[in-house]
């Protein structure tokens, strides 16, 4: 039996443990918000089942391995902008934790590079990459994660939620259901929800108002390494085709010695216009912009390239708290960076955590009454 089917909370395979559990919670999405919610629920009486469409965890905080390199091609790092992050990260284990020392500098439309302010913020990842965040949070829990499980339909039967994936397998019933995909994907799920209730309409229309920036990440590898005083360069006037450029060799365990690997996150305009360009065409254009920016023509010829398109990379706006919580009285919750309106791992993590805490409180109250 596969790991996924062993772990699933399929309607037909309810185990005795689940029968004894006080309540069941379903979480759609194993990104930072889903992991934060699961972490918050781990001290409660909930049996938590996570349904994740991909084969991994941590969503847009993604890591890939290729040709002996490891790189974070979505979120670059997690900052300690929230004091709770500074407290939490070391408790997940300091082994293999990477705090990027080099600073982030800035550049403008003309390609002029300027030293950034040297704020004392941590920029954390792990030698194994950003996915460690969710892996380590889930490791603290005993949740069941069902990978390669894309939820397609939701229904409400006798005050409980059940889910159906694209293979027509059912999951549940859940006393509470938490949706964490980006807003447009959450809207698609809400549209596929069989529940005649005005709260669903309110939630859907609030989520539909969230707009996103599209980013195409282009990865450029070179068989040599040049030293720079910066780890990353950010385009501050938003007029350059390159929105962000960073050096994965500044992260321990990511790039073999003597090699360099750039993460170029292209501007929303460039990314939208060239989203479907073949990777070699997009890579060649990106490399020419990087070579011009760094004033070094060797960067025009990477020895290999890779890419990833993020249609829904970063939310431009959030939604108001009242709309976000309108269906919580029926056990239907949402969480993620788009609730807060800021595409940051720490924002998603703590929005998920706070939502998970509300779920635990609501279910334990309902149990007592
Ligand atoms: C290119 C890029 C660079 C970034 N850089 C940074 C950075 O440097 N620092 C920073 O803090 N943040 C950064 N971010 C933002 C950060 O990655 C996000 O804010 C964070 O990942 C949001 O977490 P989330 O859990 O809300 O959503 P996600 O990470 O998107 O997780 C949602 C999960 O839901 C799953 N899912 C979706 N639909 C379904 C379905 N139907 N069924 C089952 N599962 C489903 C997805 O596969 C995914 O795993 C960056 C993002 C991008 C794209």
């Amino acid at each position: 039996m596969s790991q996924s089917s062993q772990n699933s909370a399929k309607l037909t395979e309810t185990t005795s443990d689940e029968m004894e559990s006080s309540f069941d919670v379903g979480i759609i999405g194993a990104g930072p918000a889903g992991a934060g919610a699961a972490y918050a629920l781990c001290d409660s009486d909930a049996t938590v089942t996570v349904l994740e469409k991909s084969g991994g965890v941590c969503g847009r905080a993604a890591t890939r391995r290729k040709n002996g390199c490891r790189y974070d091609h979505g979120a670059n790092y997690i900052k300690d902008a929230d004091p709770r992050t500074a407290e939490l990260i070391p408790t997940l284990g300091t082994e293999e934790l990477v705090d990027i020392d080099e600073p982030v500098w800035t550049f403008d439309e003309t390609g002029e590079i300027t030293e950034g302010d040297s704020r004392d913020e941590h920029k954390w990842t792990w030698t194994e990459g950003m996915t460690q965040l969710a892996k380590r949070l889930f490791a603290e829990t005993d949740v069941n994660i069902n990978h390669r499980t894309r939820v397609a339909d939701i229904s409400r039967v006798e005050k409980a939620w059940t889910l159906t994936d694209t293979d027509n397998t059912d999951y549940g019933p859940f006393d509470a259901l938490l949706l964490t995909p980006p807003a447009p994907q959450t809207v698609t799920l809400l549209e596929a929800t069989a529940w005649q209730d005005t709260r669903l309409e309110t939630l859907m229309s609030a989520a539909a108002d969230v707009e996103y920036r599209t980013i195409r990440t282009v990865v450029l590898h070179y068989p040599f390494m040049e030293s720079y005083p910066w780890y990353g360069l950010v385009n501050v006037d938003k007029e350059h085709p390159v929105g962000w450029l960073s050096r994965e060799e500044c992260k321990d365990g990511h790039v073999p010695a003597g090699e360099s690997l750039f993460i170029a996150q292209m501007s929303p305009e460039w990314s939208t216009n060239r989203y479907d360009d073949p990777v070699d065409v997009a890579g060649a254009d990106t490399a020419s912009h990087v070579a011009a920016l760094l004033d070094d023509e060797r960067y025009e010829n990477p020895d290999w390239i890779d890419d990833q398109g993020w249609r829904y990379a970063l939310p431009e706006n959030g939604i108001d708290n009242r709309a976000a919580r309108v269906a919580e009285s029926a056990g239907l919750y949402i969480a993620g960076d788009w609730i807060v309106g800021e595409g940051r791992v720490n924002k998603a993590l703590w929005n998920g955590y706070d939502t998970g805490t509300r779920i635990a409180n609501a279910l334990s109250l309902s149990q007592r009454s």
Side-chain angles (χ1 to χ4, degrees), residues 213-214 238-239 241 266-275:
R213 245 178 284 167
T214 293
K238 315 266 182 232
E239 298 289 345
M266 303 307 283
S267 72
E269 192 187 345
W270 188 100
S271 299
T272 304
N273 292 340
R274 313 198 61 152
Y275 200 79

Side-chain angles (χ1 to χ4, degrees), residues 29 32-33 52-53 59-60 74-77 149 151 181 336-337 343-345 348:
E52 167 56 51
K53 71 176 181 183
R60 280 168 280 155
N76 303 289
Y77 50 77
T149 304
V151 176
D337 59 353
R344 290 278 158 248
V345 174

Side-chain angles (χ1 to χ4, degrees), residues 34-332:
Y39 186 71
L41 282 158
C42 72
D43 287 333
S44 73
D45 290 334
T47 296
V48 179
T49 301
V50 177
L51 297 310
E52 167 56 51
K53 71 176 181 183
S54 74
V57 295
C58 224
R60 280 168 280 155
T63 308
R64 189 175 288 164
R65 294 172 74 156
K66 191 170 172 179
N67 297 339
C69 295
R70 188 182 274 120
Y71 41 98
D72 299 317
H73 56 294
N76 303 289
Y77 50 77
I78 177 167
K79 283 206 282 199
D80 61 354
D82 184 317
R84 293 189 290 177
T85 311
E87 207 176 307
L88 171 75
I89 298 292
T91 69
L92 299 175
T94 48
E95 213 177 302
E96 294 166 349
L97 183 62
V98 175
D99 193 358
I100 307 162
D101 290 329
E102 293 85 346
V104 174
W105 285 15
T106 63
F107 65 98
D108 65 12
E109 178 181 13
T110 66
E112 189 179 332
I113 297 174
T114 311
E115 191 170 340
D117 59 8
S118 53
R119 278 172 294 178
D120 248 356
E121 278 178 338
H122 291 290
K123 300 187 290 296
W124 278 308
T125 180
W126 288 263
T127 53
E128 300 270 319
M130 277 299 290
T131 50
Q132 282 293 307
L133 173 67
K135 284 183 184 161
R136 288 173 185 228
L137 286 167
F138 282 125
E140 299 284 317
T141 75
D142 54 5
V143 303
N144 307 311
I145 305 182
N146 296 267
H147 289 286
R148 297 189 182 81
T149 304
R150 183 190 289 263
V151 176
D153 292 297
I154 302 173
S155 53
R156 181 144 171 95
V157 182
E158 292 174 4
K159 295 193 172 177
W161 300 97
T162 58
L163 308 175
T164 308
D165 70 12
T166 44
D167 292 332
N168 245 355
T169 304
D170 292 328
Y171 299 82
F174 299 113
D175 302 291
L177 175 63
L178 170 63
L179 277 62
T180 72
Q185 294 165 353
T186 291
V187 170
T188 304
L189 284 169
L190 294 173
E191 283 168 352
T193 299
W195 183 39
Q196 301 305 319
D197 195 292
T198 53
R199 287 170 286 183
L200 183 64
E201 300 299 322
T202 308
L203 201 52
M204 243 181 334
S205 80
D209 284 343
V210 179
E211 294 185 356
Y212 276 80
R213 245 178 284 167
T214 293
I215 294 177
R216 188 164 179 183
T217 299
V218 180
V219 177
L220 307 172
H221 178 273
Y222 301 91
F224 60 88
M225 198 206 71
E226 199 61 55
S227 285
Y228 294 97
W230 46 267
Y231 147 70
L233 296 175
V234 62
N235 173 223
V236 277
D237 58 17
K238 315 266 182 232
E239 298 289 345
H240 199 281
V242 180
W244 164 271
L245 183 72
S246 54
R247 304 162 55 224
E248 288 294 279
E249 61 269 22
C250 295
K251 300 173 175 174
D252 288 348
H254 280 231
V255 183
E259 302 177 16
S260 49
L261 189 146
F262 286 138
I263 296 288
Q265 286 164 6
M266 303 307 283
S267 72
E269 192 187 345
W270 188 100
S271 299
T272 304
N273 292 340
R274 313 198 61 152
Y275 200 79
D276 296 319
D277 277 5
V279 61
D280 53 331
V281 175
D285 191 60
T286 304
S288 73
H289 287 300
V290 169
L293 180 62
L294 300 183
D295 196 19
D296 188 335
E297 62 188 23
R298 289 177 302 164
Y299 292 125
E300 281 175 9
N301 298 303
D303 62 345
W304 57 266
I305 53 181
D306 193 9
D307 81 320
Q308 176 70 47
W310 306 95
R311 182 75 70 192
Y312 308 121
L314 303 171
E316 298 273 23
N317 55 300
I319 70 173
D320 81 63
N321 254 340
R322 211 147 25 114
R325 297 184 186 184
V326 68
E328 292 190 357
S329 48
L332 183 60

